[in-house]
Amino acid sequence: MSFEPPESTVAPPEGAPELSSSDPSRRTFLATTTAVGGAVVVGGLVAGQSVFGAEPADAAQASPRSRVSLTVNGERHTVTVDNRTSLLDLLREHLGLTGSKKGCNAGACGACTVLVDGRRVNSCLTLAVRLDGAEVATIEGLSKGERLHPLQQAFIDQDAFQCGYCTSGQIMSGVGCIDEGHTGSPEEIREFMSGNICRCGCYVKIVRAVEQAAHGK
């Protein structure tokens, strides 16, 4: 069954142009104008290039970059980075220090925890360009040669990890927790380590490891 509308037998208004047999029908017009990509030519009119193939705007220029100097694990580094670069990406991608892990990349899991001027920070949320002149400590800088940091050794003694993905952040946060003096009780340790998530559920052993490093228990 055809759904083409019947041809009109009503004469066009006086003065209106007559349609020739070569003029496009409504169906042809719609099919032509909905073609994807390229220029559309209808009745001698040329439509502009599709917006999907438009060139980037002039405003999309290279992002500003800055030079930053900071000390990481006792070694001075000077690098030029995109102003949007996080401390975590600076450590991992520019300095090759991959011990700090990128977990949620939103400051919610603590896997990227490092110490900046002795204070715990989520390196995924910290802009590198704001740390010019700062001192940064990562998991790679804790041990002294073959001698592990007391908290690293305590994690081994207490079997305080399984998959190990969060471990570097847990240890760095634990070091900060000890240095801050928040190890008076298991409850206090849990409170001040609450920003570090362990998907394996090793919290009890992590607390014991922090106690061991802080008090020799």
Side-chain angles (χ1 to χ4, degrees), residues 8-26:
S8 174
T9 58
V10 180
E14 185 177 352
E18 295 185 1
L19 295 176
S20 67
S21 58
S22 61
D23 289 326
S25 67
R26 177 174 178 273

Side-chain angles (χ1 to χ4, degrees), residues 19-39:
L19 295 176
S20 67
S21 58
S22 61
D23 289 326
S25 67
R26 177 174 178 273
R27 177 175 294 176
T28 304
F29 176 83
L30 291 175
T32 305
T33 55
T34 54
V36 178

Side-chain angles (χ1 to χ4, degrees), residues 10-208:
V10 180
E14 185 177 352
E18 295 185 1
L19 295 176
S20 67
S21 58
S22 61
D23 289 326
S25 67
R26 177 174 178 273
R27 177 175 294 176
T28 304
F29 176 83
L30 291 175
T32 305
T33 55
T34 54
V36 178
V40 179
V41 181
V42 179
L45 297 178
V46 181
Q49 184 179 2
S50 169
V51 295
F52 299 105
E55 292 296 325
D58 293 339
Q61 300 174 352
S63 300
R65 300 171 68 83
S66 297
R67 185 182 179 91
V68 57
S69 295
L70 67 169
T71 301
V72 181
N73 299 329
E75 184 177 349
R76 192 72 170 176
H77 296 274
T78 300
V79 293
T80 300
V81 295
D82 186 305
N83 286 357
R84 299 167 297 180
T85 302
S86 67
L87 173 59
L88 177 60
D89 286 339
L90 172 65
L91 294 171
R92 292 179 59 85
E93 299 176 13
H94 293 264
L95 303 183
L97 299 173
T98 57
S100 303
K101 304 304 182 185
K102 182 176 285 190
C104 65
N105 205 33
C109 72
C112 66
T113 303
V114 298
L115 302 180
V116 176
D117 294 333
R119 299 181 62 184
R120 294 180 283 175
V121 302
N122 290 320
S123 59
C124 72
L125 296 183
T126 305
L127 288 176
V129 293
R130 301 189 63 183
L131 299 180
D132 193 54
E135 293 193 8
V136 180
T138 72
I139 190 69
E140 291 90 346
L142 284 187
S143 62
K144 304 299 182 183
E146 296 296 322
R147 183 165 58 89
L148 297 177
H149 185 280
L151 186 54
Q152 290 176 305
Q153 186 61 54
F155 263 67
I156 296 173
D157 296 342
Q158 298 294 336
D159 194 22
F161 54 89
Q162 287 188 35
C163 78
Y165 196 84
C166 74
T167 303
S168 59
Q170 297 279 2
I171 291 176
M172 295 307 297
S173 186
V175 170
C177 188
I178 293 170
D179 292 344
E180 295 160 11
H182 296 306
T183 58
S185 65
E187 292 75 21
E188 185 177 19
I189 293 173
R190 283 194 292 269
E191 173 67 24
F192 284 90
M193 292 280 291
S194 61
N196 291 80
I197 306 301
C198 175
R199 60 186 177 184
C200 298
C202 295
Y203 298 110
V204 172
K205 295 180 179 180
I206 290 172
V207 171
R208 289 175 181 169

